[in-house]
Amino acid sequence: MAKKIGFISLGCPKNQVDSELMLKKLADAGYEIIDTPIGADAVIINTCGFIEAAKQESIDNIFEMAGYKEDGDVGKIIVVGCMAERYREEILKEMPEVDAVAGIGANGDIVSFVDSVFEGKENMLFPEKEKLPLCGERLLTTPSYRAYLKIADGCSNCCTYCAIPKIRGPQRSRPIESIVEEAKRLASDGVKELTVIAQDTTRYGDDIYGEPKLDELLKQLDVIDGIEWIRLLYCYPDRLTDSVLETMRDSKHVLHYIDLPLQHANGRILKAMNRCGDSASLLALIGKIRDYMPDCVIRTTFMTGFPGEDDEAFNELSEFVNAARFDRLGCFAFSPEEGTAAAEMPERPEKEVAEHRGEVIMDQQYKIFCEKQEELIGERVRCIVEDYDGYTDVYSGRTWRDAPEIDSGIFIISQRDLNIGDFVDVEITDTKDYDLIGEVSDR
């Protein structure tokens, strides 16, 4: 009888793609993948180790599985992913409930590693992180109509607060041909929406071609039959070129949606983060994006409480948020990550101050967001149908303006039956908290 594997994937979409690659290998090797950890011969936890909250979520999941194990509902616990790569032997030492741990370089050997764990031969495996597979067949964990498309792994930016380069190594881009082949395969399997991801998508290709090639990649993805939406995440502001903006503007399927993680607006703080720009240059960039694509949805992320952020620097950030009027915005308090330069920097605001500043930014953004949502009333917006509530007879989904698992949604009223994964034009009639309400428009 095939051994049963439960799988828990934590953290970012890039980690989710890694999980899907491992799941496919395990399934092809004869393991039975089950949806719940209960009854699993082994549970594999693909952990995140980016910030303190993510590490805590990983630890909480390990302890939850340990409880099931103690009750006899779970066999072995195997920890992989970023936290495993970062803390290695410490995990086995600090959490004896864990049976085995493997770094990201072991993902390609997950079958042989799991085999050896069951046989009692091995409980640790840490090959070079560069051995992490960048491509291969995947067992999708997203709905059938959408998928993430990872175009590179690792990062070479070395922001002072970030441990990703230490955990996953420098950027490694996939060849364009490999990415396009995978996108075609996904399209043939029914995927209609691709979300393009990497730690820094705008740096794509620099390491293998000698120059960024995101514009060329987008052009080739744009002509793949069956793909309706292509969404671009994680663009660094200093590498968002005119060529990329022109490609987005002129394409048929690349959405006018840019995830632009700015982190801050004060020039002194940005320099301490090892990032470029200041309020003036960033406002100019936002203006340029909107010149190219007046309807462009711009999402960003900010960090409050970075070392050296005094009242003046925070006030500049606050004023910047009001001036830029982002469509989507997230904000989190600085987390000092061991091994990073920022963790040793002086003049760090108290945690309570950092969190309060984050709340101020989010309160500002909520007002802006509501105003922008109200402006959509009466507009016809392209949407994708994702669910149906038979009790209320209302569908739900997302507009093209909303990224999966990140942004808001829309409640859709329709006089005709819709299918999950359908694209429909919806006339916006109202708003509800963060979501929109609309009716299918056949005009």
Side-chain angles (χ1 to χ4, degrees):
M1 183 180 294
K3 288 191 179 297
K4 297 178 180 179
I5 301 290
F7 208 104
I8 298 172
S9 187
L10 305 172
C12 67
K14 299 180 288 294
N15 216 37
Q16 187 172 345
V17 171
D18 291 346
S19 295
E20 292 171 347
L21 288 165
M22 286 189 279
L23 283 167
K24 178 63 174 172
K25 290 179 182 294
L26 290 163
D28 286 350
Y31 284 103
E32 181 184 349
I33 310 299
I34 59 176
D35 293 333
T36 171
I38 303 297
D41 296 295
V43 172
I44 300 174
I45 305 173
N46 191 10
T47 58
C48 179
F50 178 45
I51 57 175
E52 190 60 38
K55 285 187 288 185
Q56 189 58 54
E57 182 186 24
S58 297
I59 292 168
D60 290 345
N61 272 270
I62 292 171
F63 284 142
E64 182 181 358
M65 293 306 106
Y68 288 137
K69 181 180 179 182
E70 187 177 353
D71 293 339
D73 294 325
V74 159
K76 297 183 181 297
I77 299 174
I78 301 173
V79 177
V80 301
C82 287
M83 194 176 81
E85 178 68 36
R86 190 173 185 183
Y87 294 104
R88 303 194 170 203
E89 297 91 344
E90 291 179 47
I91 293 175
L92 291 176
K93 200 175 298 181
E94 299 295 328
M95 291 179 277
E97 301 89 350
V98 173
D99 294 279
V101 60
I104 62 171
N107 286 10
D109 300 317
I110 190 65
V111 172
S112 60
F113 181 64
V114 171
D115 289 345
S116 68
V117 172
F118 277 124
E119 294 165 4
K121 295 179 179 178
E122 197 170 22
N123 69 347
M124 285 194 299
L125 184 61
F126 294 99
E128 298 85 359
K129 60 191 69 174
E130 287 75 18
K131 287 187 66 179
L132 172 79
L134 296 182
C135 59
E137 291 190 54
R138 295 152 56 188
L139 188 61
L140 293 184
T141 56
T142 51
S144 60
Y145 52 83
R146 68 173 177 88
Y148 292 105
L149 185 65
K150 185 162 75 166
I151 62 175
D153 198 82
C155 187
S156 299
N157 290 327
C158 298
C159 300
T160 58
Y161 54 82
C162 183
I164 293 297
K166 293 179 180 294
I167 297 171
R168 300 188 79 96
Q171 176 176 288
R172 292 181 299 133
S173 300
R174 297 171 57 185
I176 288 178
E177 296 79 10
S178 167
I179 299 169
V180 170
E181 180 184 350
E182 180 178 10
K184 288 179 178 178
R185 187 167 64 245
L186 290 168
S188 68
D189 290 339
V191 170
K192 304 174 185 178
E193 177 182 10
L194 291 176
T195 303
V196 177
I197 55 173
Q199 197 65 29
D200 175 2
T201 53
T202 41
R203 196 166 186 159
Y204 166 75
D206 190 48
D207 53 312
I208 57 175
Y209 297 117
E211 60 181 344
K213 289 286 187 179
L214 180 60
D215 53 351
E216 177 59 31
L217 173 63
L218 292 176
K219 288 174 184 175
Q220 294 200 32
L221 293 176
D222 190 45
V223 297
I224 295 175
D225 288 340
I227 300 298
E228 295 287 335
W229 285 357
I230 301 169
R231 192 182 306 276
L232 190 58
L233 299 188
Y234 318 130
C235 301
Y236 273 54
D238 45 317
R239 295 197 185 90
L240 189 57
T241 63
D242 288 358
S243 180
V244 169
L245 293 174
E246 289 168 2
T247 300
M248 294 180 69
R249 179 195 63 195
D250 298 338
S251 70
K252 290 184 179 180
H253 304 291
V254 180
L255 299 173
H256 293 179
Y257 180 108
I258 295 178
D259 185 298
L260 196 71
L262 299 181
Q263 308 303 348
H264 215 278
N266 176 267
R268 177 175 56 82
I269 297 298
L270 285 167
K271 185 176 181 181
M273 291 178 169
N274 195 33
R275 297 175 69 95
C276 300
D278 54 23
S279 293
S281 65
L282 295 175
L283 281 174
L285 173 62
I286 292 163
K288 180 165 74 170
I289 293 170
R290 288 172 173 156
D291 284 342
Y292 272 101
M293 297 172 285
D295 63 341
C296 188
V297 172
I298 304 177
R299 168 177 249 288
T300 195
T301 309
F302 289 119
M303 181 190 304
T304 52
F306 189 83
E309 185 192 61
D310 54 15
D311 288 343
E312 182 179 357
F314 172 70
N315 288 337
E316 182 176 353
L317 173 61
S318 175
E319 292 169 4
F320 176 80
V321 168
N322 282 334
R325 292 184 63 80
F326 293 99
D327 300 274
R328 311 282 185 264
L329 187 152
C331 190
F332 59 96
F334 169 71
S335 172
E337 294 303 309
E338 56 191 287
T340 64
E344 307 300 323
M345 290 180 180
E347 301 178 6
R348 187 166 81 228
E350 294 291 331
K351 181 181 178 182
E352 294 77 11
V353 172
E355 291 175 347
H356 174 69
R357 288 174 176 173
E359 291 169 0
V360 170
I361 295 297
M362 291 308 297
D363 286 344
Q364 288 179 236
Q365 177 60 25
Y366 182 65
K367 181 180 178 182
I368 294 168
F369 176 81
C370 289
E371 291 171 355
K372 285 179 171 281
Q373 293 284 84
E374 291 283 344
E375 291 170 2
L376 291 173
I377 294 177
E379 298 288 325
R380 293 177 71 208
V381 181
R382 192 71 166 166
C383 300
I384 189 165
V385 180
E386 297 192 295
D387 202 0
Y388 173 70
D389 184 339
Y391 182 74
T392 60
D393 193 27
V394 172
Y395 296 88
S396 59
R398 286 176 292 114
T399 75
W400 69 264
R401 303 168 59 84
D402 298 293
E405 302 178 0
I406 300 174
D407 296 328
S408 305
I410 181 169
F411 297 104
I412 303 169
I413 300 167
S414 177
Q415 299 304 313
R416 60 181 172 89
D417 291 341
L418 304 177
N419 298 310
I420 305 303
D422 279 354
F423 289 89
V424 291
D425 291 324
V426 178
E427 184 170 336
I428 307 303
T429 59
D430 204 351
T431 66
K432 179 178 173 58
D433 299 325
Y434 280 94
D435 299 316
L436 295 168
I437 300 172
E439 297 180 4
V440 169
S441 171
D442 293 317
R443 286 187 287 115

